[in-house]
Amino acid sequence: MSALVSVVNLRVSFVTRQTRVEAVRGVSFDVRHDATLALVGESGSGKTVSAMSILRLLPENAIVDPASRIDYGGENLLAAPAARLRALRGRDISAVFQEPMSSLNPVLTVGEQVAEVLRLHRSMAPRQALERAAELLAEVGIPEPRARLRAYPHELSGGQQQRVMIAMAIANEPKLLIADEPTTALDVTVQRQVLELIARLRERHRMSVLFISHDLGLVGEIADNVVVMREGEVRESGPTQRIFSAPRDPYTRALLACRPRLDTRPRRLPVIDDFMRGGVAPDAALERPPAGANLIEAKGLRKEFRLRTGWFASKSLVAVREVTFGVTRGRTVGLVGESGSGKTTVALLVMRLLEASGGEARLEDTDLLRLSAAQMMAFRRRIQIVFQNPYASLNPRMSIGRTLTEPMRIHRLGADEGERIERARGLLQRVGLPQDAMHRYPHEFSGGQRQRIAIARALAVEPEVLICDEPVSALDVSVQATVLNLLLDLQEERGLAYLFISHDLAVVKYMSDEVLVMREGEVVERGAPEAIYRAPQHEYTRKLLAAVPRGVEGRKFGDGALTSSGTQP
């Protein structure tokens, strides 16, 4: 099959005041007609830079080697004039980006934004463009598409926002769709829906897809061919079935092995360095301590919000309904469910960061919900939380040293500032960061390093309970494995009780001793992870499990579309 786009010896560098960094080093690949090619690798591997070079959407400080070529229809896009590129973008070649809220204009309605693409490239009249926009929203599965034309992006869910982005991208029936991490921030069920939507649209419109991801298990379900990248270079490429069945490069094997699996539970997850040093020895199964008396216990937790619907009218929204669980020292309770299921609300109620509408949250014999603010202060040291987004949870104006010593100062830990600084250095060493990090700021660290800093901050006050709210959902699979191993090591050393929240069922199974499945504020199933994953009792749990990416096992090859295997692990 002939190539629609050929990238030949692509080299891209970025110039700053201090240095010049080569981000892409001699990368070559072909995107074939009516096929899906996946670029896979960790953050910083050069995937997005390679893909955005096709559209020439690189930052101003990017320098492309003159010897590089990107051929499209016999034309080198790297040498094409700006007017030609503007004509191609959105018409022949379109893109869907990772974060739809930063890609959609917040002050324009959904209908205006989809119609704008049609008016620009097809010179449609406004009314005609809106009619076609409604048809496109229906095609990508937006409910009540005509009503949604008047909605603003913030009024849609994350999955619906991504569908709007896809509608804009396919509006002019492009020959190539570039999908840059389009499902990273989405729940597993919404992720499944978006993947199936892209596969259906590709087949219906006979277009090619360049799919970018850090998760090999995910791309195995949608790609015909895979290009594995690391540090700006291609480490391995070939048909998807061959890459999964017989990976040749240690880095490819590492990416396949780092993600927790549903069928095994090793003592430690392998990380990239293990494979690059020559392989991973078989690991014993993860053994957990026996259950004891509950350190923290929730009984009948309930949260109700009052929403104003008019000047004198309001309605009640129950976000959490009668949630009960207990966590003992050294053990983990996992909360799993889609966005809006009430997982994070439960955590905030236990922390008293939200006031409960009813129920109890006991730390040993004390009901935290009955304490005054002054009384609660003494207990905050014993319960800490690690949030999902380390980019937002760390103060960008505070050095890492101050970030770690401030909670000690507030809770009067350490005899003096010198002792607190020494404790902070020890925490950095424990989470695998150099001591010179004390004087640096959050923007100088990667996402995985920032999450380790957030964990160190939570440990600074020597808590007994750690609430982990989606702590690895935004991380590469290899960095995710490192953080999960760290959390297990810390739990074993300190006897920490974890409340672990995630929409990733494989991660929850690996970390948890008991799993609670939440839906619309209620616990619909609970039990040991092995029992729930082997024989789920509730239809909702079966739906979540069916949506877990399974690589080549989760699709059928040769029919041009992704098809869920529907099998249980």
Side-chain angles (χ1 to χ4, degrees):
M1 189 180 293
S2 62
L4 174 69
V5 174
S6 292
V7 176
V8 183
N9 193 31
L10 179 65
R11 294 182 179 272
V12 182
S13 301
F14 292 96
V15 177
T16 64
R17 292 180 181 178
Q18 292 83 18
T19 185
R20 175 170 174 163
V21 178
E22 193 171 13
V24 176
R25 309 172 184 181
V27 167
S28 299
F29 58 82
D30 291 338
V31 183
R32 296 181 291 133
H33 284 276
D34 190 22
T36 298
L37 174 71
L39 296 184
V40 181
E42 299 171 280
S43 296
S45 63
K47 310 185 301 295
T48 297
V49 173
S50 298
M52 291 303 105
S53 296
I54 297 173
L55 288 168
R56 295 255 298 274
L57 293 177
L58 296 175
E60 292 183 357
N61 66 332
I63 298 177
V64 181
D65 191 301
S68 302
R69 288 187 60 87
I70 297 180
D71 292 323
Y72 171 70
E75 178 181 12
N76 182 9
L77 297 182
L78 296 178
R84 171 61 175 156
L85 287 170
R86 284 195 298 270
L88 287 174
R89 293 173 186 150
R91 190 190 67 187
D92 285 28
I93 305 174
S94 292
V96 178
F97 299 100
Q98 177 175 351
E99 179 48 65
M101 270 307 289
S102 63
S103 303
L104 294 171
N105 191 326
V107 300
L108 295 179
T109 66
V110 166
E112 289 172 328
Q113 296 186 63
V114 179
E116 183 181 30
V117 180
L118 295 163
R119 294 175 63 187
L120 178 64
H121 289 286
R122 295 196 175 187
S123 301
M124 284 187 178
R127 184 181 297 275
Q128 183 185 11
L130 280 175
E131 285 294 320
R132 178 56 182 153
E135 294 173 1
L136 287 164
L137 292 183
E139 185 174 5
V140 299
I142 296 286
E144 301 178 354
R146 292 192 179 279
R148 292 297 186 182
L149 290 175
R150 299 186 295 273
Y152 289 89
H154 72 272
E155 298 179 282
L156 306 179
S157 69
Q160 289 173 333
Q161 291 167 8
Q162 197 62 285
R163 288 171 186 267
V164 171
M165 285 294 301
I166 294 172
M168 294 171 63
I170 67 165
N172 292 296
E173 300 183 2
K175 297 177 182 177
L176 174 63
L177 176 67
I178 299 174
D180 187 3
E181 301 270 14
T183 64
T184 296
L186 303 179
D187 291 337
V188 64
T189 51
V190 181
Q191 172 180 271
R192 166 71 56 180
Q193 293 165 11
V194 171
L195 287 178
E196 292 179 343
L197 171 62
I198 291 174
R200 285 198 306 272
L201 292 172
R202 189 205 104 182
E203 184 177 29
R204 185 180 305 159
H205 295 281
R206 312 304 296 178
M207 66 182 177
S208 301
V209 176
L210 180 58
F211 192 88
I212 302 168
S213 178
H214 60 259
D215 190 343
L216 264 173
L218 187 65
V219 304
E221 300 203 359
I222 197 170
D224 300 297
N225 290 275
V226 176
V227 174
V228 181
M229 294 185 64
R230 189 186 193 206
E231 296 177 351
E233 298 178 330
V234 174
R235 297 298 298 252
E236 185 169 4
S237 63
T240 304
Q241 287 177 299
R242 201 276 299 163
I243 293 287
F244 274 77
S245 61
R248 296 166 183 166
D249 192 272
Y251 182 65
T252 309
R253 292 196 291 272
L255 288 178
L256 285 166
C258 286
R259 182 178 175 82
R261 296 176 54 177
L262 292 174
D263 57 350
T264 61
R265 199 179 184 192
R267 172 66 186 83
R268 297 184 65 79
L269 291 171
V271 297
I272 297 294
D273 288 344
D274 295 334
F275 284 85
M276 302 313 289
R277 286 194 297 261
V280 179
D283 199 359
L286 177 62
E287 296 183 4
R288 308 295 289 166
N294 287 332
L295 174 61
I296 189 163
E297 187 174 13
K299 292 183 179 179
L301 272 184
R302 180 180 178 85
K303 180 60 181 177
E304 184 176 335
F305 292 97
R306 299 295 300 179
L307 303 178
R308 294 188 64 176
T309 58
W311 286 106
F312 303 104
S314 64
K315 68 176 182 179
S316 174
L317 173 64
V318 179
V320 173
R321 305 168 187 263
E322 308 300 325
V323 171
T324 298
F325 63 87
V327 193
T328 66
R329 294 185 189 275
R331 289 173 67 87
T332 301
V333 167
L335 296 183
V336 67
E338 297 171 287
S339 295
S341 62
K343 308 184 302 295
T344 296
T345 303
V346 167
L348 297 180
L349 294 176
V350 171
M351 289 276 304
R352 281 285 300 276
L353 297 178
L354 271 180
E355 293 300 325
S357 303
E360 300 178 0
R362 292 188 172 275
L363 182 58
E364 294 185 322
D365 297 326
T366 303
D367 185 0
L368 303 179
L369 305 186
R370 305 290 179 264
L371 300 180
S372 66
Q375 291 171 324
M376 185 63 196
M377 190 64 183
F379 287 86
R380 292 204 181 279
R381 172 186 166 186
R382 300 176 65 183
I383 307 178
Q384 289 290 301
I385 188 167
V386 178
F387 293 101
Q388 173 178 358
N389 187 352
Y391 295 87
S393 62
L394 298 176
N395 190 328
R397 298 189 177 186
M398 290 175 59
S399 68
I400 304 308
R402 186 180 168 194
T403 296
L404 298 182
T405 56
E406 184 183 51
M408 301 183 206
R409 196 177 303 113
I410 291 172
H411 290 281
R412 300 177 183 176
L413 293 177
D416 52 32
E417 192 65 13
E419 183 176 333
R420 286 189 280 269
I421 290 172
E422 284 304 310
R423 285 190 180 201
R425 289 196 177 110
L427 286 168
L428 287 175
Q429 182 179 8
R430 184 63 198 87
V431 299
L433 293 173
Q435 292 194 9
D436 65 3
M438 290 281 289
H439 308 292
R440 295 158 65 186
Y441 289 82
H443 72 272
E444 300 179 66
F445 296 89
S446 68
Q449 289 172 324
R450 292 190 206 196
Q451 197 61 290
R452 282 187 265 175
I453 292 167
I455 293 170
R457 180 181 60 183
L459 296 175
V461 293
E462 300 175 352
E464 299 169 63
V465 179
L466 195 60
I467 297 175
C468 302
D469 187 7
E470 301 273 11
V472 297
S473 63
L475 305 179
D476 291 339
V477 287
S478 56
V479 180
Q480 172 182 283
T482 301
V483 172
L484 294 178
N485 287 338
L486 171 63
L487 287 171
L488 286 175
D489 289 343
L490 292 169
Q491 185 176 53
E492 185 175 339
E493 290 173 11
R494 303 187 178 208
L496 293 168
Y498 287 160
L499 181 61
F500 193 93
I501 299 168
S502 179
H503 62 256
D504 189 324
L505 283 86
V507 170
V508 169
K509 179 181 183 293
Y510 178 69
M511 291 293 294
S512 303
D513 301 289
E514 182 183 16
V515 174
L516 276 62
V517 181
M518 292 193 65
R519 182 188 187 191
E520 296 179 354
E522 295 182 295
V523 175
V524 297
E525 187 165 357
R526 69 172 69 217
E530 290 79 9
I532 284 183
Y533 287 70
R534 183 176 59 252
Q537 301 300 306
H538 196 278
E539 178 60 31
Y540 179 68
T541 310
R542 291 194 286 270
K543 173 186 172 185
L544 291 177
L545 285 168
V548 174
R550 290 176 172 81
V552 294
E553 298 173 5
R555 63 168 287 175
K556 296 178 181 178
F557 287 87
D559 58 1
L562 175 149
T563 304
S564 174
S565 63
T567 58
Q568 299 300 334

